[in-house]
Amino acid sequence: MPAFAAAPDHIMVSHGDARLEVLAQGKGPTIVMLPSLGRGATDFDAIADKLAEAGFRVLRPEPRGIGKSTGPWQGVKLEDLAADIAAVIEQDKNGPAFVVGHAFGNRVARMLATARPELVAGVSLIAANVGRNPSPPNVRAAIRLSADLKASDDERVKAMQFVFFAPGSDARVWLKGWHPDVLAAQRIAGDLTAREIDYAAGKAPVLYIQPSHDPLARVDEAEEYKKALGDRVTVVVIPNSAHAVIIEQPQAVSDALIAYARKLWPASAPK
């Protein structure tokens, strides 16, 4: 049986004017986890522990402006954020990584697979809005309100329940952990890069983890993405979940990631 995962180490990686704090734990093939818009690496705590326990090295870079990560935002595009992650993988010197992106993080993952395919063994898109257009105005407004620390808890919970959580889930678990300034900067960076550029994730194999009740990333979009890219896309639908699926259903997400990673690296499967 795998040993319980130890608490992550905190390492620093430099890339140009940026310095990134990276939570690192486990041994084995590398899985890199990229968080959602305006949120940090600790959203993956439960999943990272399970991946490390299963025999993988897990790297969780904090985005610029979160934790000890720093770096400019003026003129920064998605390509620059992907280059940050490339620097993390290169410094770790453990071979190509399985790059997992939740929500906004999926665009960074796809951009990295497009720009630096030699660093990417595979990509997982979790709650991925792969549409070629930005989210509708009412959805964007609900995301901004969710992260608005000056708004009342009741207003924010109502917005989060609409945009992030499935019926029956408790949106209050996400009241903390928001970084509004980072959210705004990431949104600009994403909008500065045409969605066609990162759409296909280069030529990497893709695990598309689709929540069952996601208003931002719908089940029909997952089906359309697989139809567009063919057999290199595997779709797994997670029941009773929405955009915050990594919080609502961490065990199901972990199981899907571990199963797929063991297909990428068959030697990592338990003997």
Side-chain angles (χ1 to χ4, degrees), residues 22-259:
V22 182
L23 283 63
Q25 64 194 113
K27 295 181 179 180
T30 298
I31 300 177
V32 177
M33 312 197 80
L34 309 178
S36 179
L37 196 73
R39 295 193 63 88
T42 57
D43 277 352
F44 288 114
D45 278 352
I47 294 173
D49 284 349
K50 294 180 186 302
L51 299 182
E53 289 165 10
F56 296 96
R57 177 158 175 77
V58 185
L59 302 179
R60 290 181 281 160
E62 291 282 21
R64 300 180 183 200
I66 298 180
K68 295 181 181 178
S69 292
T70 60
W73 282 104
Q74 185 67 35
V76 167
K77 299 181 179 181
L78 198 66
E79 290 90 333
D80 301 298
L81 302 183
D84 286 350
I85 309 308
V88 171
I89 297 171
E90 288 177 320
Q91 179 171 303
D92 202 56
K93 294 182 172 63
N94 195 38
F98 180 26
V99 185
V100 178
H102 175 226
F104 176 78
N106 96 84
R107 285 203 69 196
V108 182
R110 284 188 280 149
M111 188 70 246
L112 178 62
T114 301
R116 298 294 305 276
E118 75 280 8
L119 298 179
V120 179
V123 169
S124 181
L125 314 181
I126 303 177
N129 179 358
V130 294
R132 298 180 186 274
N133 297 309
S135 301
N138 65 325
V139 170
R140 284 198 161 200
I143 295 172
R144 285 195 301 271
L145 180 55
S146 298
D148 185 353
L149 305 184
K150 296 178 182 178
S152 71
D153 286 357
D154 287 345
E155 289 177 304
R156 294 176 61 210
V157 167
K158 184 177 179 180
M160 285 189 288
Q161 194 68 59
F162 161 62
V163 78
F164 292 121
F165 288 86
S169 295
D170 182 6
R172 290 185 176 273
V173 298
W174 242 19
L175 274 170
K176 296 181 179 180
W178 290 97
H179 300 265
D181 292 345
V182 174
L183 185 154
Q186 288 175 323
R187 177 164 280 163
I188 292 170
D191 288 346
L192 286 174
T193 298
R195 290 172 179 258
E196 288 78 10
I197 294 175
D198 58 285
Y199 175 79
K203 297 182 179 179
V206 175
L207 170 63
Y208 197 126
I209 296 181
Q210 172 63 51
S212 59
H213 292 76
D214 193 339
L216 283 84
R218 304 186 309 273
V219 173
D220 62 300
E221 289 179 333
E223 294 168 351
E224 180 182 340
Y225 194 71
K226 180 172 177 60
K227 184 176 180 181
L229 300 185
D231 289 342
R232 69 182 173 96
V233 176
T234 300
V235 177
V236 174
V237 178
I238 305 296
N240 304 314
S241 67
H243 212 59
V245 59
I246 63 169
I247 302 300
E248 294 176 299
Q249 301 290 349
Q251 184 65 60
V253 172
S254 300
D255 289 346
L257 291 172
I258 291 167

